[in-house]
Amino acid sequence: MLFNIHSLEWDKQLCEFFGIPMEILPHVRSSSEIYGLMEAGALEGVPISGCSGDQSAALVGQMCFQIGQAKNTYGTGCFLLCNTCHKCVFSDHGLLTTVAYKLGRDKPVYYALEGSVAIAGAVIRWLRDNLGIIKTSEEMEKLAKEVGTSYGSYFVPAFLGLYAPYWEPSARGIICGLTQFTNKCHIAFAALEAVCFHIREILDAMNRDCGIPLSHLQVDGGMTSNKILMQLQADILYIPVVKPLMPETTALGAGAAEGVDVWRLEPEDLSAVTMERFEPQINAEESEICYSTWKKAVMKSMGWVTTQSPESGDPSVFCSLPLGFFIVSSMAMLIRARYISGIP
């Protein structure tokens, strides 16, 4: 929260506001240059030459170098980044503006819009550890495949509130649309759909902010091994979903450092790393109906946490850790946004 993404330096005014001495902050370098050499051990003499955050590294690993190209990483949470090239696009629809990468000391900086989902793979772990519906993560695909539908059930796993594009800390998880015929297979299917619906919401926000509708979505992360999830994602977005040969592209991107020829990451090599392409298999009208019903469920998940919420008990301890995080981070982002915009 102290870095000026325009000047690419620590911001003096923000540091003064938060009372942080600038001399304790590290030197700012590009994402890809040789910072030094290992001095001892088995790796002695090996250059330290890449420094990228997880999502930025995955964007590079997916070779999303052109404006409007986007990737989504499916892990414990989900993180969708869209390359806005050299233009710093500020979102009007609940997304964050960030530096994507700068691949070399003298190379230009690239920016991105980012949307995050708190619960993705974590919902599978919750069904396994908390409800005991499955014994292993791999069972999710098997259960979902058995029924091929949620039978009208919708799962909003807002265990930590809702992140982008809502930023709503009062939301909590709900499962709605249940009937006497609903079983654990339908719940498993609804949980996978929930991940895809969250991504649809973020993608819609990106399309509105960028003005460039995405033609396809590149994906990576451990959950991409679930073919039902990938097909659902293509159906709900109603665009193709492209999965690379190696799903852990974060490591691939972080290893593409200037001055260290470990491997090539060139746009023309993209076809070589593509393994599967999932095309939409339902009609657009069906996709829109499912999505609009999901948004209804999301609205019902909001406003659960209040100062008299049973989960907090004593109002004096109302600020639980997740909610406290939202409040503090939201205040910091508001202060930063007002500062950048020149609002007193």
Coordinates of all heavy atoms in Angstrom, one line a residue, residues 119-185:
I119 N -12.8 -18.1 -1.9 CA -13.0 -19.5 -1.8 C -13.2 -20.2 -3.1 O -14.1 -19.9 -3.8 CB -14.2 -19.8 -0.9 CG1 -14.1 -19.1 0.4 CG2 -14.4 -21.3 -0.7 CD1 -13.0 -19.6 1.3
A120 N -12.2 -21.1 -3.5 CA -12.3 -21.9 -4.7 C -12.0 -23.3 -4.3 O -12.9 -24.1 -3.9 CB -11.4 -21.4 -5.8
G121 N -10.7 -23.7 -4.3 CA -10.3 -25.0 -3.9 C -10.7 -25.3 -2.4 O -10.9 -26.4 -1.9
A122 N -10.8 -24.2 -1.6 CA -11.1 -24.3 -0.2 C -12.5 -24.8 0.0 O -12.8 -25.4 1.1 CB -11.0 -22.9 0.4
V123 N -13.4 -24.7 -1.0 CA -14.8 -25.2 -0.8 C -14.8 -26.7 -0.9 O -15.5 -27.4 -0.2 CB -15.8 -24.6 -1.8 CG1 -15.5 -25.2 -3.2 CG2 -17.2 -24.8 -1.4
I124 N -13.8 -27.3 -1.7 CA -13.7 -28.7 -1.7 C -13.2 -29.3 -0.4 O -13.6 -30.3 0.1 CB -12.8 -29.1 -2.9 CG1 -13.4 -28.7 -4.2 CG2 -12.5 -30.6 -2.9 CD1 -12.6 -29.0 -5.4
R125 N -12.2 -28.5 0.1 CA -11.6 -28.9 1.5 C -12.7 -28.9 2.5 O -12.8 -29.7 3.4 CB -10.4 -28.1 1.8 CG -9.7 -28.5 3.0 CD -8.4 -27.8 3.2 NE -8.5 -26.4 3.4 CZ -8.0 -25.5 2.5 NH1 -7.3 -25.9 1.4 NH2 -8.1 -24.2 2.7
W126 N -13.6 -27.9 2.4 CA -14.7 -27.7 3.4 C -15.7 -28.8 3.3 O -16.1 -29.4 4.4 CB -15.4 -26.3 3.2 CG -16.4 -26.0 4.2 CD1 -16.3 -25.5 5.4 CD2 -17.9 -26.2 4.0 NE1 -17.5 -25.3 6.0 CE2 -18.5 -25.7 5.1 CE3 -18.6 -26.6 2.9 CZ2 -19.9 -25.7 5.3 CZ3 -20.0 -26.7 3.1 CH2 -20.6 -26.2 4.3
L127 N -16.0 -29.2 2.1 CA -16.9 -30.4 2.0 C -16.3 -31.7 2.5 O -17.0 -32.5 3.0 CB -17.3 -30.5 0.5 CG -18.2 -29.4 -0.1 CD1 -18.4 -29.6 -1.6 CD2 -19.6 -29.4 0.6
R128 N -15.0 -31.8 2.4 CA -14.3 -33.0 2.8 C -14.1 -33.0 4.3 O -14.5 -33.9 5.0 CB -12.9 -33.0 2.2 CG -12.1 -34.3 2.5 CD -10.7 -34.1 2.1 NE -10.0 -33.0 2.8 CZ -8.9 -32.5 2.5 NH1 -8.2 -32.9 1.3 NH2 -8.3 -31.5 3.2
D129 N -13.6 -31.9 4.9 CA -13.2 -31.8 6.3 C -14.4 -31.5 7.2 O -14.5 -32.0 8.3 CB -12.1 -30.8 6.5 CG -10.8 -31.2 5.8 OD1 -10.7 -32.4 5.3 OD2 -9.9 -30.4 5.6
N130 N -15.3 -30.6 6.8 CA -16.3 -30.1 7.7 C -17.6 -30.9 7.5 O -18.2 -31.2 8.5 CB -16.6 -28.7 7.4 CG -15.5 -27.7 7.8 OD1 -14.3 -28.1 7.6 ND2 -15.8 -26.6 8.3
L131 N -18.0 -31.3 6.3 CA -19.2 -32.0 6.1 C -19.0 -33.5 5.9 O -20.0 -34.3 6.0 CB -20.0 -31.4 4.9 CG -20.5 -30.0 5.1 CD1 -21.5 -29.7 4.0 CD2 -21.2 -29.8 6.4
G132 N -17.8 -33.9 5.5 CA -17.6 -35.3 5.2 C -18.3 -35.9 4.0 O -18.5 -37.1 3.9
I133 N -18.7 -35.0 3.1 CA -19.3 -35.5 1.8 C -18.4 -36.3 1.0 O -18.8 -37.2 0.3 CB -19.9 -34.2 1.1 CG1 -21.1 -33.7 1.8 CG2 -20.2 -34.6 -0.4 CD1 -21.8 -32.5 1.2
I134 N -17.1 -35.9 1.0 CA -16.1 -36.6 0.2 C -14.9 -37.0 1.1 O -14.7 -36.4 2.2 CB -15.6 -35.8 -1.0 CG1 -15.1 -34.4 -0.5 CG2 -16.7 -35.6 -2.0 CD1 -14.4 -33.6 -1.6
K135 N -14.1 -38.0 0.7 CA -13.0 -38.3 1.5 C -11.7 -37.8 0.9 O -10.7 -37.6 1.6 CB -12.9 -39.9 1.6 CG -14.0 -40.5 2.4 CD -13.8 -42.0 2.5 CE -14.9 -42.6 3.4 NZ -14.8 -44.1 3.5
T136 N -11.7 -37.6 -0.4 CA -10.6 -37.0 -1.1 C -11.1 -36.0 -2.1 O -12.2 -36.0 -2.5 CB -9.8 -38.1 -2.0 OG1 -10.6 -38.6 -3.0 CG2 -9.3 -39.2 -1.0
S137 N -10.2 -35.1 -2.5 CA -10.6 -34.0 -3.4 C -11.0 -34.6 -4.8 O -11.9 -34.0 -5.5 CB -9.4 -33.0 -3.6 OG -9.0 -32.4 -2.4
E138 N -10.4 -35.7 -5.2 CA -10.7 -36.3 -6.5 C -12.1 -36.8 -6.6 O -12.7 -36.9 -7.7 CB -9.7 -37.4 -6.8 CG -8.3 -37.0 -7.0 CD -7.5 -36.5 -5.8 OE1 -7.9 -36.9 -4.6 OE2 -6.6 -35.8 -5.9
E139 N -12.7 -37.0 -5.4 CA -14.1 -37.5 -5.5 C -15.1 -36.5 -5.9 O -16.2 -36.8 -6.4 CB -14.5 -38.0 -4.1 CG -13.9 -39.3 -3.6 CD -14.4 -39.8 -2.3 OE1 -15.7 -39.7 -2.0 OE2 -13.6 -40.1 -1.4
M140 N -14.7 -35.2 -5.9 CA -15.7 -34.1 -6.3 C -16.1 -34.3 -7.7 O -17.3 -34.2 -8.1 CB -15.0 -32.8 -6.1 CG -15.1 -32.2 -4.7 SD -16.7 -31.7 -4.2 CE -17.0 -30.2 -5.2
E141 N -15.1 -34.6 -8.6 CA -15.4 -34.7 -10.0 C -16.3 -35.9 -10.2 O -17.3 -35.9 -11.0 CB -14.1 -34.9 -10.8 CG -14.4 -34.9 -12.3 CD -13.1 -34.9 -13.1 OE1 -12.0 -34.9 -12.5 OE2 -13.2 -34.8 -14.3
K142 N -16.1 -37.0 -9.5 CA -16.9 -38.2 -9.7 C -18.3 -38.0 -9.2 O -19.3 -38.4 -9.9 CB -16.2 -39.4 -8.8 CG -17.0 -40.7 -8.9 CD -16.3 -41.7 -8.1 CE -17.1 -43.1 -8.1 NZ -16.5 -44.1 -7.2
L143 N -18.5 -37.3 -8.1 CA -19.9 -37.1 -7.6 C -20.6 -36.1 -8.6 O -21.8 -36.4 -8.9 CB -19.8 -36.4 -6.2 CG -19.4 -37.3 -5.0 CD1 -19.4 -36.5 -3.7 CD2 -20.4 -38.5 -4.9
A144 N -19.9 -35.1 -9.0 CA -20.6 -34.1 -9.9 C -20.9 -34.8 -11.3 O -22.0 -34.5 -11.8 CB -19.7 -32.9 -10.2
K145 N -20.1 -35.7 -11.7 CA -20.3 -36.4 -13.0 C -21.5 -37.3 -12.9 O -22.2 -37.5 -13.9 CB -19.1 -37.2 -13.4 CG -19.1 -37.7 -14.8 CD -17.8 -38.3 -15.2 CE -17.8 -38.8 -16.6 NZ -16.5 -39.4 -17.0
E146 N -21.8 -37.9 -11.7 CA -22.9 -38.8 -11.6 C -24.2 -38.2 -11.9 O -25.1 -38.8 -12.4 CB -22.9 -39.3 -10.1 CG -21.9 -40.5 -9.8 CD -22.1 -41.0 -8.4 OE1 -23.3 -41.0 -7.9 OE2 -21.1 -41.4 -7.8
V147 N -24.4 -36.9 -11.5 CA -25.7 -36.3 -11.7 C -25.7 -35.3 -12.9 O -26.7 -35.0 -13.5 CB -26.2 -35.6 -10.4 CG1 -26.6 -36.6 -9.4 CG2 -25.1 -34.6 -9.9
G148 N -24.6 -34.6 -13.1 CA -24.5 -33.6 -14.2 C -25.3 -32.4 -14.0 O -25.5 -31.6 -15.0
T149 N -25.8 -32.1 -12.8 CA -26.6 -31.0 -12.6 C -26.6 -30.7 -11.1 O -26.4 -31.6 -10.3 CB -28.0 -31.2 -13.1 OG1 -28.8 -30.0 -12.7 CG2 -28.7 -32.4 -12.5
S150 N -26.9 -29.5 -10.7 CA -27.1 -29.1 -9.3 C -28.6 -29.3 -8.9 O -28.9 -29.1 -7.7 CB -26.7 -27.7 -9.0 OG -27.5 -26.8 -9.7
Y151 N -29.4 -29.6 -9.8 CA -30.9 -29.8 -9.6 C -31.5 -28.6 -9.0 O -32.3 -28.6 -8.1 CB -31.1 -31.1 -8.7 CG -32.5 -31.6 -8.8 CD1 -33.0 -32.2 -9.9 CD2 -33.4 -31.4 -7.7 CE1 -34.3 -32.7 -10.0 CE2 -34.7 -31.9 -7.8 CZ -35.1 -32.6 -9.0 OH -36.4 -33.0 -9.1
G152 N -31.0 -27.4 -9.5 CA -31.6 -26.2 -9.0 C -31.0 -25.6 -7.7 O -31.5 -24.6 -7.2
S153 N -30.0 -26.3 -7.2 CA -29.3 -25.8 -6.0 C -28.2 -24.8 -6.3 O -27.5 -25.0 -7.3 CB -28.7 -27.0 -5.2 OG -29.7 -28.0 -4.9
Y154 N -28.1 -23.8 -5.5 CA -27.0 -22.8 -5.6 C -26.2 -22.7 -4.3 O -26.8 -22.5 -3.3 CB -27.6 -21.5 -6.1 CG -28.0 -21.5 -7.5 CD1 -29.3 -22.0 -7.9 CD2 -27.2 -21.1 -8.6 CE1 -29.7 -22.1 -9.2 CE2 -27.6 -21.1 -9.9 CZ -28.8 -21.7 -10.2 OH -29.2 -21.7 -11.5
F155 N -24.9 -22.7 -4.5 CA -24.0 -22.7 -3.3 C -23.2 -21.4 -3.4 O -22.5 -21.2 -4.4 CB -23.1 -23.9 -3.3 CG -22.3 -24.2 -2.1 CD1 -21.6 -25.4 -1.9 CD2 -22.1 -23.2 -1.1 CE1 -20.9 -25.7 -0.8 CE2 -21.4 -23.5 0.0 CZ -20.7 -24.7 0.2
V156 N -23.3 -20.5 -2.4 CA -22.5 -19.3 -2.3 C -21.5 -19.5 -1.2 O -21.9 -19.3 0.0 CB -23.3 -18.1 -2.1 CG1 -22.4 -16.8 -2.2 CG2 -24.4 -18.0 -3.2
P157 N -20.3 -19.9 -1.4 CA -19.3 -20.2 -0.3 C -18.6 -18.9 0.2 O -17.4 -18.8 0.2 CB -18.3 -21.2 -0.9 CG -18.3 -20.7 -2.4 CD -19.7 -20.3 -2.7
A158 N -19.4 -18.0 0.7 CA -18.9 -16.7 1.2 C -18.5 -16.9 2.7 O -18.9 -16.2 3.6 CB -20.0 -15.6 1.1
F159 N -17.6 -17.8 2.9 CA -17.1 -18.1 4.3 C -16.4 -17.0 4.9 O -16.4 -16.8 6.1 CB -16.2 -19.4 4.3 CG -16.9 -20.6 3.7 CD1 -16.1 -21.5 3.0 CD2 -18.2 -20.8 3.9 CE1 -16.7 -22.7 2.5 CE2 -18.8 -22.0 3.3 CZ -18.0 -22.9 2.6
L160 N -15.7 -16.2 4.1 CA -14.9 -15.0 4.5 C -15.5 -13.7 4.0 O -14.9 -12.7 3.9 CB -13.5 -15.1 4.1 CG -12.7 -16.4 4.5 CD1 -11.4 -16.4 3.9 CD2 -12.6 -16.3 6.0
G161 N -16.8 -13.7 3.7 CA -17.4 -12.6 3.1 C -17.2 -12.7 1.6 O -16.7 -13.8 1.1
L162 N -17.5 -11.7 0.8 CA -17.3 -11.8 -0.7 C -16.2 -10.8 -1.0 O -16.2 -9.6 -0.6 CB -18.6 -11.4 -1.4 CG -19.8 -12.4 -1.3 CD1 -21.1 -11.8 -1.8 CD2 -19.5 -13.6 -2.1
Y163 N -15.3 -11.3 -1.9 CA -14.3 -10.4 -2.4 C -14.8 -9.7 -3.7 O -15.9 -9.4 -3.8 CB -13.0 -11.2 -2.7 CG -12.2 -11.6 -1.5 CD1 -12.7 -11.6 -0.2 CD2 -10.9 -12.0 -1.6 CE1 -12.0 -11.9 0.9 CE2 -10.1 -12.3 -0.5 CZ -10.7 -12.3 0.8 OH -9.9 -12.6 1.9
A164 N -13.9 -9.6 -4.7 CA -14.4 -8.9 -5.9 C -15.6 -9.6 -6.6 O -15.6 -10.9 -6.5 CB -13.2 -8.9 -6.9
P165 N -16.5 -8.9 -7.2 CA -16.5 -7.4 -7.3 C -17.3 -6.7 -6.2 O -17.5 -5.5 -6.3 CB -17.1 -7.2 -8.7 CG -18.1 -8.4 -8.8 CD -17.5 -9.5 -8.0
Y166 N -17.7 -7.5 -5.2 CA -18.6 -6.9 -4.2 C -17.9 -6.3 -3.0 O -18.3 -5.2 -2.5 CB -19.5 -8.0 -3.6 CG -20.4 -8.7 -4.6 CD1 -20.1 -9.9 -5.2 CD2 -21.6 -8.0 -5.1 CE1 -20.9 -10.5 -6.2 CE2 -22.4 -8.6 -6.1 CZ -22.0 -9.8 -6.6 OH -22.8 -10.4 -7.6
W167 N -16.8 -6.9 -2.5 CA -16.1 -6.4 -1.3 C -17.1 -6.2 -0.2 O -17.2 -5.2 0.4 CB -15.3 -5.2 -1.6 CG -14.3 -5.4 -2.7 CD1 -14.3 -4.9 -3.9 CD2 -13.1 -6.1 -2.5 NE1 -13.2 -5.3 -4.6 CE2 -12.5 -6.1 -3.8 CE3 -12.5 -6.9 -1.5 CZ2 -11.3 -6.8 -4.1 CZ3 -11.3 -7.5 -1.8 CH2 -10.7 -7.5 -3.0
E168 N -17.8 -7.3 0.1 CA -18.9 -7.3 1.1 C -18.6 -8.2 2.3 O -18.8 -9.5 2.2 CB -20.2 -7.7 0.5 CG -21.4 -7.7 1.4 CD -21.5 -6.4 2.1 OE1 -21.9 -5.4 1.5 OE2 -21.3 -6.4 3.3
P169 N -18.0 -7.7 3.4 CA -17.6 -8.5 4.5 C -18.8 -9.1 5.3 O -18.6 -10.0 6.1 CB -16.8 -7.6 5.4 CG -17.4 -6.2 5.1 CD -17.7 -6.3 3.6
S170 N -20.0 -8.6 5.1 CA -21.2 -9.1 5.9 C -21.8 -10.4 5.3 O -22.6 -11.0 5.9 CB -22.3 -8.0 5.9 OG -22.9 -7.9 4.7
A171 N -21.3 -10.8 4.1 CA -21.9 -12.0 3.5 C -21.4 -13.2 4.2 O -20.3 -13.3 4.8 CB -21.5 -12.0 2.0
R172 N -22.2 -14.3 4.2 CA -21.8 -15.6 4.7 C -22.3 -16.7 3.7 O -23.2 -16.4 2.9 CB -22.3 -15.8 6.1 CG -21.6 -15.1 7.2 CD -20.1 -15.5 7.3 NE -19.4 -14.7 8.3 CZ -18.7 -13.6 8.0 NH1 -18.7 -13.1 6.8 NH2 -18.0 -13.0 9.0
G173 N -21.8 -17.8 3.8 CA -22.1 -18.9 2.9 C -23.5 -19.4 3.0 O -24.0 -19.5 4.1
I174 N -24.1 -19.7 1.9 CA -25.5 -20.3 1.9 C -25.6 -21.3 0.8 O -24.9 -21.3 -0.2 CB -26.6 -19.2 1.7 CG1 -26.4 -18.6 0.3 CG2 -26.6 -18.1 2.8 CD1 -27.7 -17.7 -0.1
I175 N -26.5 -22.3 1.0 CA -26.9 -23.2 0.0 C -28.4 -23.1 -0.1 O -29.2 -23.3 0.9 CB -26.6 -24.7 0.3 CG1 -25.1 -24.8 0.6 CG2 -27.0 -25.6 -0.8 CD1 -24.6 -26.2 1.1
C176 N -28.9 -22.7 -1.3 CA -30.4 -22.5 -1.4 C -30.9 -23.3 -2.7 O -30.1 -23.8 -3.5 CB -30.7 -21.0 -1.6 SG -29.8 -20.1 -2.9
G177 N -32.2 -23.3 -2.8 CA -32.8 -24.1 -3.9 C -32.9 -25.6 -3.6 O -33.1 -26.4 -4.5
L178 N -32.8 -26.0 -2.3 CA -32.8 -27.4 -2.0 C -34.2 -28.0 -2.1 O -35.2 -27.3 -1.8 CB -32.3 -27.6 -0.5 CG -30.9 -27.1 -0.2 CD1 -30.5 -27.3 1.2 CD2 -29.9 -27.8 -1.1
T179 N -34.3 -29.2 -2.5 CA -35.6 -29.9 -2.5 C -35.4 -31.3 -1.8 O -34.2 -31.6 -1.4 CB -36.1 -30.2 -3.9 OG1 -35.3 -31.2 -4.5 CG2 -36.1 -28.9 -4.7
Q180 N -36.4 -32.1 -1.6 CA -36.3 -33.3 -0.9 C -35.5 -34.3 -1.8 O -35.0 -35.4 -1.3 CB -37.7 -33.9 -0.7 CG -38.5 -34.2 -1.9 CD -39.9 -34.8 -1.6 OE1 -40.0 -35.5 -0.6 NE2 -40.9 -34.5 -2.4
F181 N -35.3 -34.0 -3.1 CA -34.5 -34.9 -3.9 C -33.0 -34.5 -4.0 O -32.2 -35.2 -4.6 CB -35.1 -34.9 -5.3 CG -36.5 -35.3 -5.4 CD1 -37.5 -34.3 -5.6 CD2 -36.9 -36.6 -5.2 CE1 -38.8 -34.7 -5.7 CE2 -38.2 -37.0 -5.2 CZ -39.2 -36.0 -5.5
T182 N -32.6 -33.4 -3.4 CA -31.2 -32.9 -3.4 C -30.4 -33.9 -2.6 O -30.7 -34.3 -1.5 CB -31.1 -31.5 -2.8 OG1 -32.0 -30.6 -3.5 CG2 -29.7 -31.0 -3.0
N183 N -29.2 -34.3 -3.2 CA -28.3 -35.2 -2.5 C -26.9 -34.6 -2.6 O -26.7 -33.6 -3.1 CB -28.4 -36.6 -3.0 CG -28.0 -36.8 -4.5 OD1 -27.1 -36.1 -5.0 ND2 -28.7 -37.6 -5.2
K184 N -25.9 -35.4 -2.0 CA -24.6 -34.9 -2.0 C -23.9 -34.6 -3.3 O -23.1 -33.8 -3.5 CB -23.7 -35.8 -1.1 CG -23.5 -37.2 -1.7 CD -22.6 -38.0 -0.8 CE -22.2 -39.3 -1.3 NZ -21.4 -40.1 -0.4
C185 N -24.4 -35.4 -4.3 CA -23.9 -35.2 -5.7 C -24.3 -33.8 -6.2 O -23.5 -33.1 -6.9 CB -24.4 -36.3 -6.6 SG -23.9 -38.0 -6.2

